[in-house]
Amino acid sequence: MFASPWRALFLGFVLLLLCIMFSAVTGQWLMSLFGGGAATFNELARTQPGFTRFLQGLSNLLSWGLPALFWAVYTGGFRRRLGFTTRPRGIFFGLAALTIVIALPFVESLLIQEESLHVTEGLEGFEEWAKDREVDTGKVILTLLKDTSFVGLFANVMVFAVIPAVSEELFFRGFLLGTLKRSVGLHAAVWISATIFSIVHFQVLGLFSRIVLGAMLGYFYAYSGNLWASIVAHFTHNLVNIVLAVLALRGILPGDVTVGSFDFGIVVVILSFFFTTLLVYYFSRKAHRFNSTLKYE
């Protein structure tokens, strides 16, 4: 329906803005009804963790998954527009998950240390806001992850691993990367979509690590030709971080759970980078062999 990819991008971002506004209004309305008078999300997490998880999952679905679905249906077909037409191959799922796990030490090493974060004069207010938001987000996640019962773990996996993997991949890879590829080519589309993916999370300390993560997810999608590969990789990344955080909370592993930072050591980081590069290259060769690369016209 939309011959121009720029018109398609414009429509997608308009839908995104409308869905984010709808998500915010819906969340505030539900919180006023069932929040028990909690003034902040952090306070709600302490008093009603189950309801907090529900709001978190709902917000993610409405903000990212819903606009991508609306856009895909309106512009000509869910499966074709969001990368579900190519036959999925199990080898890509396994490779994507393995690569994400191997890449974790390298990705974690790209986290910006808070003491080294300084902005130019005049942007001190933004720096303070960004740090406060990062701390508040970390506190909410930490509060919810402290529930290590079976039900709590299952709920955390659903809210922090399953839902984000599906809804965010629908938008950032299915819609954004696929549409950009038509205008700027594969590699530019991967890195532009990865940069936007990182920026909109509003977590300054993880800016570069999330760009690299987003680029890897983009290549998994592009090389496999099927969005399920990046969904599986995204889920694996979030699941591993949940497991590490729970182990750190129990004192089994050292690490700062509030920002998801774990010190793997320089040798492990170098090996992680080396083997991640090899696996991504191997992934691309397998894609060419099966002729599975993303075709988006």
Side-chain angles (χ1 to χ4, degrees), residues 225-254:
N226 193 287
L227 195 65
W228 281 113
S230 63
I231 290 175
V232 168
H234 196 148
F235 165 78
T236 303
H237 174 268
N238 291 2
L239 178 64
V240 170
N241 274 283
I242 290 173
V243 172
L244 291 176
V246 170
L247 292 177
L249 284 170
R250 293 185 172 182
I252 300 174
L253 286 178

Side-chain angles (χ1 to χ4, degrees), residues 49-264:
F51 183 56
T52 304
R53 293 189 186 96
F54 170 77
L55 287 182
Q56 179 73 25
L58 181 66
S59 174
N60 199 290
L61 284 171
L62 294 180
S63 298
W64 305 114
L66 191 62
L69 294 176
F70 279 160
W71 174 84
V73 172
Y74 187 73
T75 57
F78 170 81
R79 294 180 69 248
R80 182 169 67 90
R81 290 296 185 185
L82 293 179
F84 290 107
T85 55
T86 303
R87 183 168 67 91
R89 296 181 181 273
I91 188 173
F92 290 133
F93 301 158
L95 276 175
L98 175 63
T99 305
I100 280 293
V101 174
I102 297 296
L104 184 63
F106 169 63
V107 172
E108 288 286 313
S109 73
L110 298 176
L111 285 169
I112 301 172
Q113 299 303 312
E114 185 174 351
E115 59 271 14
S116 64
L117 179 63
H118 299 290
V119 298
T120 58
E121 187 176 354
L123 293 178
E124 294 87 352
F126 170 76
E127 178 184 1
E128 194 64 30
W129 172 83
K131 288 182 178 180
D132 289 344
R133 190 183 188 282
E134 195 120 10
V135 170
D136 289 341
T137 301
K139 287 180 178 178
V140 171
I141 295 174
L142 179 60
T143 299
L144 298 178
L145 290 180
K146 283 181 178 178
D147 182 1
T148 56
S149 65
F150 175 80
V151 173
L153 286 172
F154 178 80
N156 286 332
V157 168
M158 289 298 299
V159 171
F160 295 117
V162 176
I163 293 176
V166 174
S167 59
E168 292 178 12
E169 290 309 301
L170 283 172
F171 185 84
F172 291 104
R173 257 57 68 177
F175 156 67
L176 185 55
L177 189 157
T179 307
L180 281 171
K181 180 180 179 290
R182 298 165 61 193
S183 293
V184 300
L186 171 60
H187 298 294
V190 166
W191 288 97
I192 291 172
S193 60
T195 301
I196 296 174
F197 168 71
S198 181
I199 290 174
V200 299
H201 278 80
F202 296 109
Q203 293 177 325
V204 179
L205 301 182
L207 178 67
F208 298 116
S209 64
R210 193 167 278 106
I211 289 175
V212 171
L213 172 64
M216 291 176 61
L217 295 173
Y219 282 120
F220 292 149
Y221 171 43
Y223 287 149
S224 69
N226 193 287
L227 195 65
W228 281 113
S230 63
I231 290 175
V232 168
H234 196 148
F235 165 78
T236 303
H237 174 268
N238 291 2
L239 178 64
V240 170
N241 274 283
I242 290 173
V243 172
L244 291 176
V246 170
L247 292 177
L249 284 170
R250 293 185 172 182
I252 300 174
L253 286 178
D256 187 351
V257 185
T258 58
V259 296
S261 176
F262 299 89
D263 185 8
F264 292 94

Side-chain angles (χ1 to χ4, degrees), residues 265-285:
I266 186 62
V267 174
V268 175
V269 169
I270 293 174
L271 290 174
S272 170
F273 173 75
F274 175 74
F275 285 109
T276 297
T277 304
L278 287 181
L279 285 169
V280 172
Y281 175 75
Y282 182 68
F283 195 104
S284 69
R285 300 312 302 167

